[in-house]
Amino acid sequence: MDELLTLEEASAFATSYIGKEVTVSNINYLIQYGRIDKFNTANGLCVSSEQLIAYYKSAKGAREIEWKSKLGQDVNWALSFDNYSEAQTTKHVHRLHPYKGKYIPQLVEYFLDDHIDEFKKETFFKPGDIVLDPFCGSGTTLVQANELSMHAIGIDISVFNSQIANCKVKKYDIKLIESKVATITSLLMDFEKTLNIKAFDEELLQSLADFNNKYFPSPEFKKAVYQKKIDEKTYSKEKEEMFLPIYKALAEKYGINLTLSNKSFIDKWYFETARKEIYYVNSLISLIDDEYVKSVLQVILSRTIRSCRATTHSDLATLIEPIYTTYYCRKHKKICKPLFSILKWWKTYSKDTISRLKQFDEVRTDTTQICLTGDSATMDLENEIIGIGGALADAYLKNKISGIFCSPPYVGLIDYHEQHAYAYELFGLKRRDELEIGSMAKGNNRSAVEKYIDDIVGVLVNCKKYLKKDYNVFIVANDKHHVYATIAERAGMQIVEQFKRPVLNRTEKDKNAYSEIIFWMKEKE
């Protein structure tokens, strides 16, 4: 029978029911995020035992139980933001360009806004404040600061990272962007006709459809694989080889060059027809006088060509080796093909970018955000701010910077320049790989970890000079190497509190339980 339980009773009931500790804070989370209803009774705030059982039997409830068993009961599930859809966690300009290692906007908003709850017991920033992100990446902190009527400054060593971030927060003449996109699209469509790609692609797609309908019928094939009635690896390899002669014959028929070279990144990862289109569109963009419009069109082109690399659908985020032929796609359970033209994705991303810029215009505030390209450990930030002038400089001279919200690179995990190698090559941008902190190329051995500590300390010590006296610093990190206590001590800070959060759907492939910590730091007393 359904019972109304006080929060303490609900905690005990749920703990007994699932065999894992469920705290009063956990029950409050379920209420706050609409998982269960609250009832005001003579005994105080109560919840339904039936609703508790229903939640813990649900997929989300089961995942919470499983992940806490793996990550520890100290995981703050409220910070999973599992009640948000993907459309919400990638809202408006946040999906302007793919970027490895970024956090979702809701995490930034949680600590920057003025709400308090069971877990966040005070506010740290207010409208008109300046927020600093010395590891700006693709600019999530800047965008959310704008939404909350705060100024924000980002710093990043990567010039293309800075470009992505600045493209998100700039105010544009949207009609001018639409006009330039329409012109380039029309010219690209004419240019594509000279390459004989369309007829080749159409016949190849029809041949693939016929072949896949015969040998990989859906959903029958997927069901047979799931039931292990078919050896997927052996069967798919056999069918791959069966289709290759058809593919090569069509390429020969239409004069399509199937070879690639290793002269450059673009030579290695794009077919000749796609390369010609890439260089053609880039030449058209280079003629645009408005630097802001030119910059956002470069970001659209970069996003486009990232999706057109000669690789499998499942390896798009992490390149392994180029795929020059048709192949069995484990993601789609059929034979797929590489891309020979960028036109489709140029159209798709142009339309999507314009739509996202318009959406952001509806929520943006009249505040200043900018990402500066440079070294956070040495930059004279005060001089830069005064040079920018306006409301940002006024706010700085009055109150300095209120605090930091950032996620530094992790030790030996990502090469931030290399993830956008195609953009650096195409746009002729200067790379500064050697100044990246914690890059994959530098490894994660003991000396690399010690260098990482030195580098992060250097950034915090430099940035402290521009913070107000009673500042708040929030650093998002998976502290696998247990370095942040040392970093805080050496930077003259103290860790006030740690918020441990589960990170859901971290990458395209990795669905394993994973957590990170938000370190709240202040000046050491």
Side-chain angles (χ1 to χ4, degrees), residues 41-109:
T41 72
N43 293 326
L45 188 63
C46 291
V47 298
S48 159
S49 61
E50 280 192 357
Q51 289 186 8
L52 278 176
I53 291 171
Y55 172 75
Y56 286 114
K57 281 184 175 179
S58 70
K60 287 184 178 180
R63 178 164 62 172
E64 179 183 348
I65 296 166
E66 178 190 0
W67 279 40
K68 282 187 173 182
S69 70
K70 294 178 179 178
L71 300 173
Q73 295 302 312
D74 58 337
V75 169
N76 185 338
W77 202 258
L79 294 179
S80 71
F81 303 104
D82 67 343
N83 54 313
Y84 287 90
S85 66
E86 184 182 9
Q88 291 172 305
T89 59
T90 58
K91 60 182 179 176
H92 50 71
V93 293
H94 287 296
R95 184 164 268 179
L96 220 57
H97 194 286
Y99 186 86
K100 289 182 182 178
K102 65 181 177 183
Y103 39 51
I104 61 174
Q106 286 75 21
L107 179 61
V108 184
E109 186 175 24

Side-chain angles (χ1 to χ4, degrees), residues 407-418:
S407 181
Y410 293 178
V411 180
L413 189 61
I414 297 174
D415 290 323
Y416 282 90
H417 285 78
E418 191 60 26

Side-chain angles (χ1 to χ4, degrees), residues 243-465:
F243 191 81
L244 275 179
I246 302 172
Y247 169 68
K248 291 178 179 178
L250 286 174
E252 184 176 354
K253 174 182 175 180
Y254 289 97
I256 303 298
N257 182 6
L258 298 179
T259 61
L260 291 88
S261 74
N262 288 317
K263 291 180 181 178
S264 68
F265 187 97
I266 293 177
D267 286 330
K268 179 179 179 179
W269 289 98
Y270 299 90
F271 286 99
E272 180 181 37
T273 49
R275 290 200 304 271
K276 287 180 177 179
E277 290 183 343
I278 290 168
Y279 290 130
Y280 180 65
V281 172
N282 190 47
S283 70
L284 297 175
I285 292 174
S286 69
L287 300 175
I288 296 172
D289 293 328
D290 188 305
E291 290 301 320
Y292 295 158
V293 172
K294 180 188 293 185
S295 183
V296 77
L297 291 183
Q298 285 179 333
V299 168
I300 296 173
L301 179 56
S302 174
R303 184 182 178 192
T304 298
I305 66 178
R306 179 188 181 276
S307 293
C308 296
R309 293 173 293 188
T311 188
T312 67
H313 290 122
S314 57
D315 290 327
L316 193 60
T318 305
L319 299 182
I320 300 174
E321 284 296 326
I323 299 295
Y324 307 151
T325 64
T326 47
Y327 61 93
Y328 174 71
C329 178
R330 300 186 71 86
K331 181 177 181 180
H332 297 119
K333 303 296 184 189
K334 63 181 181 178
I335 303 297
C336 289
K337 70 175 187 67
L339 295 178
F340 295 86
S341 171
I342 71 168
L343 178 59
K344 173 188 172 183
W345 288 113
W346 167 262
K347 287 181 176 179
T348 298
Y349 291 144
S350 296
K351 181 180 179 181
D352 182 70
T353 297
I354 291 168
S355 173
R356 290 179 181 279
L357 292 175
K358 288 179 178 178
Q359 290 167 26
F360 185 52
D361 273 352
E362 294 177 2
V363 298
R364 71 158 61 243
T365 62
D366 188 20
T367 50
T368 303
Q369 295 79 32
I370 188 169
C371 182
L372 306 169
T373 304
D375 188 344
S376 301
T378 59
M379 182 176 288
D380 183 343
L381 199 48
E382 182 168 301
N383 187 56
E384 294 283 350
I385 293 170
I386 292 172
I388 294 167
L392 178 65
D394 292 343
Y396 176 79
L397 292 173
K398 184 178 180 180
N399 293 316
K400 301 191 80 173
I401 296 172
S402 295
I404 292 173
F405 194 96
C406 70
S407 181
Y410 293 178
V411 180
L413 189 61
I414 297 174
D415 290 323
Y416 282 90
H417 285 78
E418 191 60 26
Q419 71 164 310
H420 302 132
Y422 45 89
Y424 281 92
E425 181 180 317
L426 182 62
F427 305 137
L429 304 176
K430 183 179 179 181
R431 292 179 59 149
R432 300 179 179 180
D433 300 62
E434 72 283 358
L435 293 179
E436 283 190 23
I437 295 176
S439 65
M440 183 186 296
K442 294 175 182 176
N444 58 7
N445 57 28
R446 183 173 179 177
S447 62
V449 172
E450 290 174 352
K451 180 67 166 60
Y452 177 87
I453 292 172
D454 290 341
D455 289 342
I456 300 295
V457 169
V459 169
L460 293 178
V461 168
N462 184 54
C463 291
K464 273 176 55 176
K465 295 185 291 188

